[in-house]
Amino acid sequence: MSDLALKPLSAFRGHLAFTGMSEASGAGVTLEVRDDLAMAIVIARKGRLAALAENVCQTYGIDLPAGPKRVAAGSLAFIGTGPGQFLAVEQGGDALTFASRLAGALGDAASISDQSASRAVLRVSGPRVRGVLAKGLAIDLHPSVFRPGDAALSSIALIGAHLWQLDERPTYEISVFRSLAGSFAEFIWSSAAEYGVTIDNP
Amino acid sequence: MRIPCPYCGERDIHEFAYLGDATVSRPDPARNDAVQAFYEYVYLRDNPAGSFQELWYHAAGCHSWLVVTRDTRTHAIFGARLASREAS
Amino acid sequence: MAAQSQPARLQSGGLIDRARPLEFQFDGRKMTGYAGDTLASALVANGVTLTGRSFKYHRPRGVLTAGSEEPNALVELRGGSRREPNTKATTVELFAGLEARSQNRWPSLTFDALSVNSLFAPLLVAGFYYKTFMWPAAFWEKLYEPLIRKAAGLGRASGLPDPDTYEKAFAFCDVLVIGGGPTGLMAALTACRAGARVILCDEDFGFGGRLLSETFEIAGISGASWVGETVAELAESANVTLMRRTTVFGVYDTGTYGALERVGDHLPTHVPHQPRQRLWKIVAKRAVLAAGAIERPIVFGGNDRPGAVMAAAVRSYVNRYAAVPGRRIAVFTNNDDGWKTVADCAAAGIPVEAVIDPRANLPEGLRNLADRAGATLFAGGRVLDAYGVSSGLQAIDVETAGGSIVTLNADCLAMSGGWNPALALTTHLGSRPVWRPDIHAFVASAPPPGLEVAGAANGSLALAACLAEGAAEGAKAAEAAGFSASMPAIPAVGADPTGMMPLWKVERSRTKAFVDFQNDVTAKDIAISESEGYRSVEHLKRYTALGMATDQGKTANVNALAIMAALTGKSIPETGVTTFRPPYTPVAIAAFAGHHRGKHFRPTRLTPSHLWAAEQGAPFVETGQWLRAQWYPRPGETDWLVSVSREVNATRSGVGVCDVSTLGKIDIMGADAGAFLDRVYINTFSTLAIGKVRYGVMLREDGIVMDDGTTARLADHHYYMSTTTVNAAKVMQHLEFCHQVLWPELDVQLASATEQWAQFAIAGPNARDTLRGLIDPEFDISNEALPYMGATTLTICGGLPARLFRISFSGELAYEIAVPAGYGDGLIRAIMSVGAPFGVTPYGTEALGVMRIEKGHAAGNELNGTITAADLGLGRMMSTKKDYIGRVMAERPGLADPERPRLVGFKPVDRAQRLRAGAHFLPLGAKAVAANDEGFMTSVAFSPSLNHWIGLGYLKNGASRLGERVRAHDPVRGLEFEVEICDPIFIDPKGERLRV
Ligand SMILES: [Zn+2]
């Protein structure tokens, strides 16, 4: 019934309005909702990691990272999430077909689980962003330790979180389970408000 | 306490779930004394003072099961490896 | 004029900012201090000597110290909901408008009605709790405890919710330096210059430690100037984080440290969006403990009088705060360091009446110092007793070297019994200090791995040694963290003699001599403890409460050990050591909670249809972290049971829809996925056809049921498992264990898909018709094409990919439809729209629960960690053709016993009777004793389909007792009723409705 065509709802819908927002606006931290990312878990089949790496390299020009790193080419990135496991992230593509496109390209070297809808991703940047994340994340983000291209699976304020650093500004993208978007937004807000927050929706 | 996950790096203990002795292995259910062997596997545990190999799960990280070597007297951690005997 | 209002303030000097006077109030009295004051120093400057009453005897007490070891000057700070009891005046930074009140006094501080406790002191000696109140227990609860609570105690909590916010934060560094005195500054400087990432913490609002309170010169400039230069260099270094007002309160495993930063405690008003306090978890590759030392009192009669002040604290008040704690000062010291008080008071023009030093042979330099200060010197003398009124000290009795007793007038007695290194943090992981006879003090023996002790904390009390050790340990720490460090030039300082003769307790004192000021433990209490056999330090602590107050006996423990040692004829180290526990100083529980309080106690998970459900006015229930709609009230429905029954009836007669997205969902992929499932489920999945769903039960290895759910085979190498909501994470962990640890040879890949799919149950006779409005026309969902327990992937609403499962928890014709979670909101609205002609009714968790009880499905209440598959009536599902987790242990006689409680259904014999979960079953006429217990009711519901209450529960031999009656006994609610045992499936026992 095409007259019912459904539209996706942003996981952050209704969760980015806070009391005291106007007085706390500022450039300390900038938030941007990333609803334009298609995602899938890619896991090498038994004994097929080398074949998978070969396929990914030939198809996408990406060298699969051996550790928790993000390697990108164009709009596509692979992020290491565990031994032989990756999160593939595509910016701006069709989320509904991403997993099947990947499966077609990677053949039987990997199993693929569609995750496009499962995560809520916030891009956080600005001069005070490390201070904000330190309030919930027990990982050292000092520039000498955690650099652009680095990624980590951990938890932020008891919320399971996957983050990766994009640039030295610094800019991070943080992915949490979709159902936790509200709690996560609350944490970011309450931790960042003292530094000034700008919400920059795409 | 901090545990060095071979994949993720050193992480706070709160990211991990504890299971216990890593040196016991699941008995062959076909053996004649399977009931006794499983009884020991499920219930009987040594509690050594000193270096001990134990299973931890990196629940908030990469979801790897790890074999961590820990001194039960001091909590000193000597290392950790992936439990999977043949990580792909 | 501010100066006039501060009668005890020196005209010049000190590190206070005289250009910034600050008004404050103590017990309602308006006073003025300066920026840079503590509350204690401002009180001293205003001539206030009496600050509170003691815990047990309500003795008048004043400021004893100038630091965080303070046992006496505890006040209530601020008012209203921000009132904070037991705040140490010595660590409270003065701010404009500060309000403080003394504690433990009624009706006023100077006249305290309860100081009669002092008259009854013989009742309150060591062990009185144990000895006095051994008569009828009721006396304790009704009489003694309220009496003692009224008489003894500390400040009052506000009783109101804390209006402030607190935070937790994490920090990482190469070198953590604990303490910013001369030692810590040198350590930080050295590590900083090596390029290490350094965090320097000090509990004070200013760095410098004793350098702020002494008149040292370092490299030709004043100590305070040297501190300024050093801190400036550190502050300019990008690799250094300076944390003032930050107490490192605990040492934890693997180089982890707890620290409390008082972000806003010194500010008059709350800064928006800023926390009051921040609790840091600091991970440091190395740490240097440079916490200094704590001066110990001497135990003599009346040593707790307001005006009896530690000698170094007197120097702090005079030198740092330009505040004079007395007009006629006497100094009682057994060591050279105490003589600095003589020199500094004299230099400040404060009359020193007398110096009493138990050492008979004093160096000429000290004798000359006494002369220059105009003080009478009692070499070889002791202070026996101090006397005064509640507002302070007036006189002291001195026993001279010759044995005669001289009474002297003095309003301040500066005392020093030597120094105890501040080694508390070194004992947090269990290491025990060792006695160093050369300095008559304990020092750390084996500090926690990665932590080294330096300076006074290490027993090196002289300034030159502090500077040198700080630099050396700073360099060592940086090297150990991977940097190349070189020793800096150690700045030149003057001689700093540290000679002493131990004097713990003065014999022949006539009045009460205090050891633990905060818990009111006297020398006599220790003697009683000894005479009654409580000689071990652990017994002593418990018998007298020594060291068990909030200060953990920082000024008391060593003196107590020495007194006990003397009583038992043993040495101090033979008598025992004292160890400390985190926190070093008290930390508010709120700081440990941080962000996680109230509705943020834990994260909340919202379902895909949450926004829509909230629009419908649904109340939500917490199930784990999830908020789920409980029911959807219609206008006019005020009783939840009415709403729930309507939802059940509408579903059973028409069609209902429920968000079931919270169920755990796991993609199980790979060539061995089926074989893997065979090993984790009791039944077989490798034979499941593609496009089919099967119900499965998984056991723990001990044979007990872990979880249940349905698993669909979507493709040759792809299964889609569902778990219960609460066990989703546990099952994932279990599957990862099976895959990684037990059978890594299998080609299996696991991925959680719980959050990827919004999944709705559409149930009821009209379910298929409702679905047809959604499904794209090329897909056939007829009973033939998609029979019961079928599964398929298709598209809906014009091309949206979806998974469709014909499964039923309600017992009706039912489907579960899953779409990518972002479309869940759209889908629930679409279902309501296309279902409207069929009367589609949303139902919540309550109706879901009613329908599953009507169908006898086990849920969380039934899967309680003691239940086997056979107990659930699922014994026949347990495959005998394969191995699986739990198979061997489930065959144990105890678990296979046919007498075990079996899941059955229950109906009240009196159909109007309400059933209650938790009731235990007894044979009719049997006594309600445990021996007759035959099981219990796990779940109950009012069945709108049957129009009476129904229940599920476990009953011994239950399956063979259908039709029998038992008594349900509910002692918690005081209920008794008869129930009839029945099949657990109350509705459609043949399952015909499922297959239509
Ligand atoms: Zn890991």
Side-chain angles (χ1 to χ4, degrees), chain C residues 338-635:
Chain C
W339 282 79
K340 285 183 193 147
T341 305
V342 180
D344 293 357
C345 285
I350 306 161
V352 181
E353 287 291 311
V355 186
I356 303 97
D357 191 321
R359 296 176 292 180
N361 298 312
L362 287 168
E364 197 178 348
L366 294 183
R367 293 178 175 277
N368 292 342
L369 175 54
D371 276 349
R372 284 202 306 279
T376 312
L377 175 61
F378 294 90
R382 287 151 169 73
V383 176
L384 286 179
D385 293 282
Y387 302 100
V389 293
S390 64
S391 63
L393 192 73
Q394 291 175 320
I396 54 174
D397 281 353
V398 176
E399 184 182 55
T400 67
S404 57
I405 293 174
V406 178
T407 300
L408 299 172
N409 290 330
D411 60 357
C412 173
L413 177 63
M415 61 176 154
S416 177
W419 291 83
N420 291 325
L423 50 69
L425 293 180
T426 70
T427 69
H428 283 182
L429 295 186
S431 138
R432 296 164 79 79
V434 292
W435 184 252
R436 247 182 72 183
D438 60 323
I439 60 165
H440 308 286
F442 285 107
V443 293
S445 59
L451 180 140
E452 296 293 343
V453 193
N458 192 36
S460 304
L461 299 170
L463 178 58
C466 288
L467 295 169
E469 265 184 30
E473 290 302 338
K476 236 171 79 184
E479 295 268 357
F483 296 85
S484 143
S486 52
M487 279 290 283
I490 308 297
V493 295
D496 184 17
T498 56
M500 80 165 287
M501 182 193 90
L503 174 66
W504 310 104
K505 171 179 168 287
V506 176
E507 302 302 326
R508 294 182 292 283
S509 286
R510 281 164 300 196
T511 57
K512 249 187 228 313
F514 283 83
V515 181
D516 184 329
F517 291 68
Q518 196 180 346
N519 261 358
D520 268 354
V521 178
T522 65
K524 191 179 162 198
D525 291 327
I526 297 173
I528 292 172
S529 181
E530 190 275 334
S531 71
E532 297 187 355
Y534 299 101
R535 288 165 199 149
S536 127
V537 62
E538 297 304 325
H539 289 155
L540 170 66
K541 281 170 68 174
R542 281 151 188 84
Y543 201 58
T544 63
L546 176 112
M548 297 176 93
T550 60
D551 66 347
Q552 292 193 53
K554 290 188 183 72
T555 55
N557 294 339
V558 176
N559 283 348
L561 282 174
I563 292 168
M564 181 61 88
L567 289 167
T568 55
K570 288 183 179 168
S571 71
I572 291 172
E574 281 169 349
T575 303
V577 295
T578 56
T579 53
F580 299 83
R581 297 172 193 172
Y584 179 69
T585 49
V587 179
I589 296 291
F592 286 103
H595 173 76
H596 303 291
R597 52 189 270 197
K599 70 174 173 140
H600 300 302
F601 177 67
R602 62 178 177 187
T604 302
R605 300 175 78 173
L606 303 181
T607 63
S609 65
H610 185 86
L611 195 66
W612 175 82
E615 287 168 17
Q616 311 310 307
F620 294 97
V621 61
E622 286 182 35
T623 53
Q625 291 186 335
W626 291 99
L627 286 188
R628 300 185 70 181
Q630 260 180 305
W631 63 87
Y632 296 86
R634 288 255 172 96

Side-chain angles (χ1 to χ4, degrees), chain B residues 5 7-8 58 61-64:
Chain B
C5 172
Y7 188 84
C8 302
H58 197 181
C62 62
H63 289 192
S64 292

Side-chain angles (χ1 to χ4, degrees), chain C residues 310-331:
Chain C
M310 299 312 305
V314 170
R315 300 200 292 284
S316 293
Y317 290 114
V318 170
N319 295 328
R320 179 173 175 180
Y321 303 108
V324 183
R327 296 183 182 281
R328 300 158 74 98
I329 291 183
V331 178

Side-chain angles (χ1 to χ4, degrees), chain A:
Chain A
M1 303 289 268
S2 54
D3 58 327
L4 282 169
L6 305 183
K7 289 205 174 56
L9 185 74
S10 170
F12 288 104
R13 167 81 172 274
H15 295 313
L16 288 171
F18 309 98
T19 46
M21 275 186 76
S22 53
E23 53 175 305
S25 73
V29 179
T30 301
L31 310 179
E32 186 190 337
V33 174
R34 301 308 309 267
D35 281 338
D36 57 339
L37 302 180
M39 289 184 270
I41 291 176
V42 177
I43 309 175
R45 296 279 300 279
K46 177 76 195 156
R48 304 295 305 280
L49 181 56
L52 171 64
E54 174 88 23
N55 285 357
V56 170
C57 186
Q58 286 191 355
T59 314
Y60 302 113
I62 288 175
D63 289 325
L64 277 184
K69 305 270 181 196
R70 176 182 184 271
V71 182
S75 61
L76 187 68
F78 277 79
I79 306 167
T81 55
Q85 305 202 10
F86 309 88
L87 183 71
V89 182
E90 185 189 47
Q91 187 184 335
D94 179 7
L96 294 176
T97 59
F98 181 53
S100 51
R101 281 184 284 129
L102 272 177
L106 300 179
D108 65 358
S111 288
I112 290 162
S113 171
D114 186 1
Q115 299 286 332
S116 289
S118 70
R119 317 292 163 103
V121 182
L122 209 54
R123 181 178 283 195
V124 295
S125 58
R128 305 306 295 272
V129 65
R130 287 192 183 93
V132 172
L133 295 179
K135 296 179 186 184
L137 175 70
I139 287 181
D140 191 358
L141 295 182
H142 190 272
S144 68
V145 178
F146 199 94
R147 301 179 191 85
D150 282 344
L153 275 157
S154 185
S155 63
I156 299 180
L158 311 181
I159 297 165
H162 189 192
L163 94 163
W164 49 88
Q165 186 173 349
L166 294 175
D167 59 35
E168 283 170 0
R169 192 175 162 227
T171 302
Y172 303 91
E173 281 179 346
I174 304 173
S175 148
V176 300
F177 277 139
R178 172 187 185 86
S179 67
L180 289 157
S183 282
F184 180 63
E186 275 284 348
F187 163 76
I188 289 283
W189 160 254
S190 65
S191 302
E194 68 169 311
Y195 307 123
V197 182
T198 302
I199 297 177
D200 192 6
N201 277 328

Side-chain angles (χ1 to χ4, degrees), chain C residues 240-309:
Chain C
V240 176
T241 305
L242 296 176
M243 298 180 73
R244 292 174 177 81
R245 304 181 180 97
T246 303
T247 305
V248 176
F249 62 77
V251 180
Y252 305 93
D253 291 308
T254 335
T256 306
Y257 300 82
L260 183 76
E261 180 187 7
R262 290 169 289 276
V263 180
D265 280 3
H266 63 294
L267 302 174
T269 51
H270 174 71
V271 176
H273 305 301
Q274 215 179 51
R276 180 189 162 204
Q277 296 176 344
R278 198 175 277 137
L279 189 89
W280 289 92
K281 196 163 179 178
I282 301 173
V283 178
K285 291 192 182 125
R286 296 281 149 174
V288 178
L289 178 66
I294 295 169
E295 199 172 31
R296 54 197 180 214
I298 300 174
V299 180
F300 60 88
N303 62 345
D304 66 325
R305 288 264 165 223
V309 183

Side-chain angles (χ1 to χ4, degrees), chain B residues 10-59:
Chain B
E10 191 185 88
R11 294 293 182 84
D12 192 275
I13 188 177
H14 290 112
E15 295 194 358
F16 298 85
Y18 182 75
L19 185 68
D21 193 343
T23 62
V24 294
S25 50
R26 191 170 187 269
D28 177 358
R31 55 194 266 191
N32 286 335
D33 62 344
V35 171
Q36 180 63 26
F38 267 90
Y39 167 76
E40 290 176 15
Y41 168 67
V42 170
Y43 293 113
L44 297 189
R45 288 291 181 276
D46 289 334
N47 184 19
S51 184
F52 189 43
Q53 295 206 329
E54 49 199 24
L55 283 164
W56 291 78
Y57 177 60
H58 197 181

Side-chain angles (χ1 to χ4, degrees), chain B residues 26 29-30, chain C residues 699 701 879 882-891:
Chain B
R26 191 170 187 269
Chain C
L699 306 184
E701 194 68 275
S879 170
K882 63 177 180 101
D883 177 42
Y884 54 87
I885 297 279
R887 183 182 71 86
V888 174
M889 295 301 268
E891 289 168 3

